[in-house]
Amino acid sequence: MGEFIQLTASDGHKFDAYLAQPSGKAKGGVVIVQEIFGINAHIRSVADDYASEGYLAVAPALFDRIEPKIELGYEAEDIEKGRDYKGRCSDDAALLDIAAAQGTAAAAGKVGVVGYCWGGYLAWLSTTRLDGFDAGASYYGGGIGSVATEKPKCPVIFHFGENDHAIPMEDVEKVKAAHPELAVNLYPAGHGFNCDHRGSYDATSAKIARERTLELFGDKIG
């Protein structure tokens, strides 16, 4: 079980972050980047899971720049609200908060970043635009095709659902074409397949993606 702490970005913005600590000495750190639903029960459980694997996990509350303590579910009304909040957050501002979270996670050593949906897009940008990450994992990052040609500063693994209504396969092909050196994995699933709070959850795909991500992090972080 983790706890909320307060972090400060380089521009002076103060915001919450969920911190989950391993029971023993940390292997390294992991920054968990949220979906459009805030630091809700699912994202906290993801952070707790990485902590159970030996990582110091930090999940920054990116919507705090708009409104504090936003926590949404997955119904139509929640999705509409989440899209509105996301539309009011710039990439640059979100990356400032992710960088602050990276600084906290770095107390444990090398640091990885993993993100889902909007967070999958931001996790990719974190590896291309920020310093300090040693590995990255991007799950079904919406809009990632628009930034596919950016160059990562560390190894990155991608996870996409073949039946994702939100990400056209053309975007996946853009990632593959731009980065033949990176692992781009496809699963027989839809958008949000990693989230066990959603109807689109696919346990088998989520398990395989988790194992692949942990393998990369184990190799590059510890």
Side-chain angles (χ1 to χ4, degrees):
M1 179 69 84
E3 62 180 339
F4 277 97
I5 61 172
Q6 189 171 78
L7 301 181
T8 304
S10 60
D11 65 348
H13 169 63
K14 296 183 184 300
F15 62 99
D16 286 344
Y18 183 74
L19 176 72
Q21 302 191 56
S23 58
K25 179 177 172 57
K27 301 175 182 177
V30 176
V31 174
I32 314 294
V33 191
Q34 67 178 67
E35 304 166 304
I36 62 170
F37 308 103
I39 306 302
N40 61 9
H42 170 59
I43 293 299
R44 295 196 301 273
S45 72
V46 170
D48 291 341
D49 182 52
Y50 275 96
S52 75
E53 290 293 333
Y55 296 101
L56 177 67
V58 185
L62 304 182
F63 284 164
D64 274 16
R65 287 182 178 267
I66 309 302
E67 184 180 318
K69 305 190 185 306
I70 293 171
E71 184 176 335
L72 303 173
Y74 296 93
E75 300 303 320
E77 182 179 352
D78 296 304
I79 294 171
E80 184 178 348
K81 288 180 179 177
R83 286 174 175 166
D84 176 65
Y85 287 128
K86 170 186 172 292
R88 294 155 63 188
C89 288
S90 72
D91 292 346
D92 289 342
L95 290 173
L96 290 178
D97 299 344
I98 292 170
Q102 188 277 335
T104 297
K110 294 181 178 180
V111 183
V113 58
V114 57
Y116 307 85
C117 187
W118 180 44
Y121 167 84
L122 290 172
W124 169 242
L125 292 187
S126 297
T127 70
T128 65
R129 301 183 187 181
L130 298 178
D131 295 319
F133 284 110
D134 298 282
S138 171
Y139 281 73
Y140 36 83
I144 206 159
S146 65
V147 291
T149 58
E150 295 197 21
K151 305 298 182 185
K153 301 176 183 181
C154 62
V156 181
I157 188 171
F158 293 91
H159 306 293
F160 295 103
E162 293 175 333
N163 307 315
D164 194 324
H165 68 280
I167 302 175
M169 281 299 105
E170 298 85 79
D171 279 10
V172 178
E173 292 305 319
K174 287 179 182 178
V175 175
K176 287 183 176 181
H179 300 286
E181 79 283 7
L182 299 181
V184 180
N185 299 288
L186 283 172
Y187 303 85
H191 192 74
F193 68 79
N194 183 73
C195 179
D196 58 3
H197 293 225
R198 304 176 76 159
S200 56
Y201 174 60
D202 186 294
T204 300
S205 297
K207 179 177 183 293
I208 295 170
R210 177 181 180 276
E211 290 171 350
R212 288 170 171 168
T213 299
L214 286 172
E215 182 179 6
L216 174 65
F217 285 4
D219 182 45
K220 301 301 179 182
I221 302 170

